[in-house]
Amino acid sequence: MNFRANTENAGEWLRGAGPLADVVISSRVRLARNLAGLPFVAKANRRQRYEVLESCRSQILAKPLSANTLFVHLNDATALDRQLLVERHLISRQHGASKNDVPRAVAVGSEETFAIMVNEEDHLRIQVLRSGMQLDDAFGQINGIDDMLEEKLEYAYSRRFGYLTACPTNVGTGIRVSVMLHLPALQLTGEIDKVKRAARDMHLAVRGMFGEGSDAQGDLYQVSNQTTLGKSEEEILADFGQTVVPQIVNYERQARQALVRDRGPQLDDKIWRAWGTLTHARVISTKEVLSLLSHVRLGVNLGRIEGIDIRTLNELFLLIQPAHLQRLSEEEMNPAARRIARARLIRQRLGG
Amino acid sequence: MNFRANTENAGEWLRGAGPLADVVISSRVRLARNLAGLPFVAKANRRQRYEVLESCRSQILAKPLSANTLFVHLNDATALDRQLLVERHLISRQHGASKNDVPRAVAVGSEETFAIMVNEEDHLRIQVLRSGMQLDDAFGQINGIDDMLEEKLEYAYSRRFGYLTACPTNVGTGIRVSVMLHLPALQLTGEIDKVKRAARDMHLAVRGMFGEGSDAQGDLYQVSNQTTLGKSEEEILADFGQTVVPQIVNYERQARQALVRDRGPQLDDKIWRAWGTLTHARVISTKEVLSLLSHVRLGVNLGRIEGIDIRTLNELFLLIQPAHLQRLSEEEMNPAARRIARARLIRQRLGG
């Protein structure tokens, strides 16, 4: 596979810039689409699945979708490569899992601004990822991709229901919008559970950084809309992007100011100890790193610690994970060896 | 009180030098003496206690015991000053406690190589403290002091029992020899309890860094002889200094080598994290500092971390304690304020 572990020319969403970037790490729009005249992936036979794969592949690689699109047949990829793509948020955990009965693939656009999974739960899952709060831009780009694919692919569509999808929760627009939020202050003040409950009352899903079933590590939460039926894409976007997310961002900012005001020394202590540990540890787990990076990131955003680049921190969130670490080190490592290599990498990147 | 919190020209035993200094922080010899013809402190009346104090004071301050001996009447000293002397290991906790019924004092020799408590449990408690394993030198010095005091003071002495003391455990030679040992590796490998049991079987007392009733903080243990009757001072010294202590030192060194051999990365991790936390924390308790200093000291002694002066670490063991911290900061502080001042002092001293 041609996919590199380093993030030098990739991961636009890692920039740490864009509107509300102190809280909103990235914005993501995803569309679920299926080809007309062919069964959903789970119901399709081998031949039909190959037919889906081939139709999608040729259309995805047709210009002008992207000049440098990388197309990866996942059944030909190593377990490490698949894990790399999962860690990079380019495929879902399920899509990266070891199962050889379904021919499946992913297309990754240049700078990783878009990724298209083929034969995941639906024939096509298109995602666009941007740094900061840029749902409208992401929506614009994904619409362009959707239109180009539709030029030659006929989608399964019902006048009554809209786009047809394998899971009923996606029927209709087939759109899911989500943001990755960094909520360390709500975590530290203990208000995070209140916010989670409120989000669920608004029919939002709140998950960890790797989507469904994953824990919230590093105080990173993926918040997304749940309903795709009965509202237009524009309504969903407006409601989510202009009301819901800014409200959560506001809660987090208020919690940060409360920490600065009421618990300044304890806050600084947490931030600086995190920095001290990251730059000095010799053995460290992914989970601990994510927690420490979270506190340092909070410190940078609040101006309590200076001279640290947010992009460097964002990249570390990815690079310290098992597959990235092994690819960067150019060797397979057991968990004990990884904990040592991880600590070394962090010191190199942070100048410890 | 004229006693300074800084340790620039004081605390010879803080040098971190002397034989076996990788494990033996300091050597201490103590003599218990009482004046003939006067009751023990607990049994004496007010007038008799003053008589003891005055006799001892004039003899202690007579040349040539020490040119710059500081004589402190503890009932005239502030609570902070008394605590400072306790933290400095110049008086016992009991002697520094708040009680005004007994006129009590301490004489501190230049460089703090000796201290003489008056009206503690016995009329006189003489101690000499040296860095590293220097019991013989300490014994030589304390004998000199003892002889000079005896020129004019008549000690309570029995041909049958030897020196008479308030507590029967001190009767006889009245000598107690002890060493302060740094045993982090025995702690980390879990062998410390075995060593403690063995020490008790040999009739040794094993205590924390502030003597009786104190916990072992910072992996510092004060080991001392228990019996003073039936053996000559020379026998006690030879047995303790040439057999017992070198044996414990050997156990600790073996444990250190085992850590280096079997758990190198974990050892380095502990050492470097301790350093990272000491140089970055903003709020820190005495207990945590002692534990972290212990690991850094181990790292320096094993050559796993460089460019750090052992004396600086040894001094911090003292300076971060409540009374020293307040004296250095020139203000009284509540515990919360001390935790902040303590973190600041450590960063200043270690260049964090």
Side-chain angles (χ1 to χ4, degrees), chain B residues 194-204:
Chain B
K194 215 170 62 187
V195 172
K196 277 193 209 166
R197 277 195 302 275
R200 277 166 195 149
D201 289 346
M202 291 186 284
H203 302 289
L204 300 171

Side-chain angles (χ1 to χ4, degrees), chain B residues 215-232:
Chain B
D215 289 340
Q217 293 192 331
D219 305 318
L220 293 177
Y221 293 87
Q222 193 174 300
V223 178
S224 59
N225 72 311
Q226 288 278 50
T227 42
T228 55
L229 190 64
K231 275 189 185 178
S232 74

Side-chain angles (χ1 to χ4, degrees), chain A residues 265-266 268-269 272-273 275-277 279-285 288 340, chain B residues 265-266 268-269 272-273 275-277 279-285 288 340:
Chain A
Q266 287 72 24
D268 283 339
D269 188 51
W272 283 98
R273 278 175 184 250
W275 179 254
T277 301
T279 52
H280 289 83
R282 261 53 182 173
V283 181
I284 200 160
S285 70
E288 187 182 0
I340 295 171
Chain B
Q266 286 72 26
D268 283 338
D269 189 51
W272 284 99
R273 278 175 185 250
W275 180 254
T277 301
T279 52
H280 289 84
R282 260 54 183 172
V283 180
I284 200 160
S285 70
E288 185 182 2
I340 295 171

Side-chain angles (χ1 to χ4, degrees), chain A residues 81-115:
Chain A
D81 280 336
R82 293 198 304 271
Q83 202 186 336
L84 204 61
L85 292 164
V86 172
E87 291 176 2
R88 205 63 158 259
H89 298 274
L90 294 168
I91 64 176
S92 63
R93 277 187 179 175
Q94 303 90 288
H95 208 49
S98 299
K99 46 166 187 179
N100 288 304
D101 52 334
V102 179
R104 64 216 149 106
V106 65
V108 179
S110 60
E111 290 219 341
E112 299 169 27
T113 54
F114 75 84

Side-chain angles (χ1 to χ4, degrees), chain B residues 3-21:
Chain B
F3 190 76
R4 286 167 309 175
N6 75 54
T7 51
E8 275 159 41
N9 302 305
E12 188 278 341
W13 65 275
L14 288 169
R15 282 192 305 127
L20 313 187

